[in-house]
């Protein structure tokens, strides 16, 4: 039985090496040009269509920025992204993913209530600036007996007020960008 497993492992390793060595020695083929024709510029190369549709998969900054701020290298609306970071700027960040549109804060204990702490997760759900483009999840803990943190209920209105704050700030950022 061990011999069969060893043979399978050796075969899998050999197949991997063979597959990787097949990538060696590939040559880039450029399209032929007529005499006197110049090579396309970098921006012209980036804008051509690919098998993935117009614009293709662009690893160098996404699509061009439109009036809703849905470009510029991040996968979500840039106004919502910036407004989210502005709104929760007083809290320490644990994680921020601009391509997936998720911002996670670390636990924050307000100085007024040291026996209570909050954590937020913000989800930017759209590339357009819309009222349903942001979702906020609020987590709250209170210090229990013996000093351990215990999960506590959060009023649903807290998340709604945060969402409204982010949307208000996003509208301000968009208005400022349009005035430029």
């Amino acid at each position: 039985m061990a011999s069969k497993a060893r043979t399978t492992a050796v075969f899998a390793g050999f197949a991997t090496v063979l597959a990787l060595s097949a990538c060696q020695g590939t040559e880039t083929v450029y399209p032929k040009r007529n005499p006197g024709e110049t090579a396309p510029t970098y921006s012209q190369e980036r804008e051509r269509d690919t098998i993935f549709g117009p614009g293709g998969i662009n690893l160098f900054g996404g699509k061009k920025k439109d009036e809703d701020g849905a470009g510029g290298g991040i996968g979500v609306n840039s106004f919502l992204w910036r407004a989210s970071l502005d709104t929760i700027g007083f809290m320490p960040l644990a994680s921020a993913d601009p391509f997936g549109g998720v911002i996670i804060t670390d636990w924050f204990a307000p100085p007024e209530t040291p026996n209570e702490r909050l954590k937020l997760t913000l989800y930017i759900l759209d590339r357009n600036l819309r009222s349903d483009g942001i979702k906020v999840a609020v987590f709250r803990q209170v210090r229990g007996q013996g000093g351990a943190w215990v999960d506590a209920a959060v009023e649903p209105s807290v998340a709604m007020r945060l969402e409204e704050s982010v949307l208000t700030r996003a509208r301000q950022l968009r208005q400022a960008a349009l005035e430029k």
Side-chain angles (χ1 to χ4, degrees), residues 4-168:
K4 185 176 181 181
R6 185 175 297 159
T7 303
T8 304
V10 169
F11 179 72
F14 179 70
T16 303
V17 170
L18 184 63
L20 290 174
S21 67
C23 296
Q24 215 173 28
T26 58
E27 184 177 321
T28 304
V29 178
Y30 296 99
K32 292 184 180 180
R33 293 191 216 349
N34 296 326
E37 186 180 1
T38 61
T41 65
Y42 175 71
S43 61
Q44 290 169 333
E45 273 298 313
R46 286 181 58 193
E47 292 194 12
R48 68 182 174 165
D49 291 339
T50 68
I51 60 172
F52 298 106
I57 294 177
N58 188 349
L59 300 176
F60 302 105
K63 296 186 181 199
K64 290 185 178 172
K65 195 172 200 172
D66 60 13
E67 67 183 38
D68 281 336
I74 63 174
V76 295
N77 183 278
S78 62
F79 297 125
L80 285 173
W81 179 259
R82 287 179 42 213
S84 297
L85 291 175
D86 287 354
T87 303
I88 62 166
F90 64 94
M91 297 183 78
L93 288 181
S95 173
D97 178 11
F99 298 103
V102 179
I103 301 171
I104 303 171
T105 69
D106 206 351
W107 288 104
F108 173 75
E112 310 84 47
T113 55
N115 290 326
E116 174 185 23
R117 65 184 187 172
L118 301 168
K119 182 175 186 168
L120 305 175
T121 302
L122 288 84
Y123 303 96
I124 300 172
L125 305 171
D126 204 334
R127 289 186 56 85
N128 298 313
L129 180 54
R130 300 169 32 133
S131 62
D132 61 351
I134 183 87
K135 174 80 173 131
V136 177
V138 181
F139 304 96
R140 179 175 167 251
Q141 291 183 339
V142 293
R143 196 178 308 264
Q145 299 293 345
W149 291 103
V150 179
D151 291 338
V154 179
E155 290 289 322
S157 63
V158 173
M160 281 185 11
R161 286 195 311 259
L162 280 167
E163 290 169 4
E164 289 171 4
S165 296
V166 170
L167 288 168
T168 300

